[in-house]
Amino acid sequence: MKRSIITFLISCCMLAACKSPKQQATGAANQLVVLSYNIHHANPPSRPAGFIDLDTIATTIRSSGAELVAIQELDSMTNRSNREFQLQLLAEKLGMHYRFERTIPFGGGAYGIGILSRYPIMETMAFALPNLEGLPTEPRKILLAKLDVKGKTILFGSTHLDFTNAELTLAQAREMLDKLQQYRTYPIIIAGDFNAVPEDPAIRLIEASLASTGKATDYTIPVLEPRKKIDFIFYESKHFKPVSDSVMRSHNYGSDHLPISATFHLIR
């Protein structure tokens, strides 16, 4: 009798051991890690202009475990950044797919926004965001990518809104939401530097359509004593359930913004 009980218990333990890895793998398969990072063209604010440190940016991204990254303030072949294609170099260092979108010509090259992805990029679209007549400010865009994420097509976006005028930032947020309307058949995540704080009209408008990760006090700038949250990750709550989020406060050297990350559970 005792031998039968022992045999039964051993069988149960073996069965549990066999199931556990499968359950863990299923959980991991349904999770997605997203990062938003304004990298200040890889010029650490504590270093002089012209000092470029892409290795630190790559280390930060790698340590986050991010599978999708929205990047702002990228240089491409500019004089101030050693004539390097920054996003391509980051992609090579990290083994990721990439797309760059120029927002302005700058320094003999281009300056703009980009996306890094561990998953195949099926298609990309970029849209200009509006300006106000007579307001001298740089053009802004939103970059969208259709991605094959674990067998599911999702829409991931990177953007960087205006900082000079709250009315303009609101207009750009409204245009961004209008552009997203034609893609609402896909699960959507949009991340970036929105140059607005949670109580501003632009953020309130976006949050009427999309959920945001984190708290209003998850400050991202300035890096040493942060007191404003202007970097956000927005998502559709019917498709994604947030598991965790963080401001990477220890990564305060590489840029004048702190990176923010979020882990989502994909709702099938």
Side-chain angles (χ1 to χ4, degrees), residues 196-205 207 216-217 219 227-229 232:
V197 296
E199 60 268 25
D200 283 346
I203 302 303
R204 290 181 176 177
L205 177 69
E207 289 182 337
T217 53
Y219 304 138
R227 53 185 178 270
K228 290 174 66 177
K229 177 179 181 175
F232 293 84

Side-chain angles (χ1 to χ4, degrees), residues 119-135:
Y119 302 100
I121 298 175
M122 303 161 61
E123 182 183 0
T124 57
M125 302 75 67
F127 300 101
L129 298 176
N131 199 351
L132 295 179
E133 187 176 353
L135 183 66

Side-chain angles (χ1 to χ4, degrees), residues 181-196:
Q181 278 299 115
Q182 60 187 294
Y183 300 103
R184 293 308 284 260
T185 55
Y186 301 103
I188 294 173
I189 298 176
I190 303 293
D193 175 359
F194 288 80
N195 274 314

Side-chain angles (χ1 to χ4, degrees), residues 150-162:
K150 302 172 184 180
K152 185 170 187 171
T153 301
I154 77 163
L155 191 75
F156 181 63
S158 176
T159 194
H160 187 186
L161 303 190
D162 182 79

Side-chain angles (χ1 to χ4, degrees), residues 24-73:
Q24 291 174 359
T26 300
N30 286 335
Q31 288 192 354
L32 180 66
V33 183
V34 176
L35 184 76
S36 183
Y37 199 8
N38 179 324
I39 70 165
H40 194 245
H41 65 278
N43 169 226
S46 62
R47 305 302 294 265
F51 182 90
I52 302 301
D53 190 351
L54 276 175
D55 286 336
T56 289
I57 301 299
T59 297
T60 295
I61 295 171
R62 187 180 295 110
S63 67
S64 74
E67 298 163 272
L68 302 180
V69 187
I71 304 184
Q72 305 83 46
E73 296 197 12

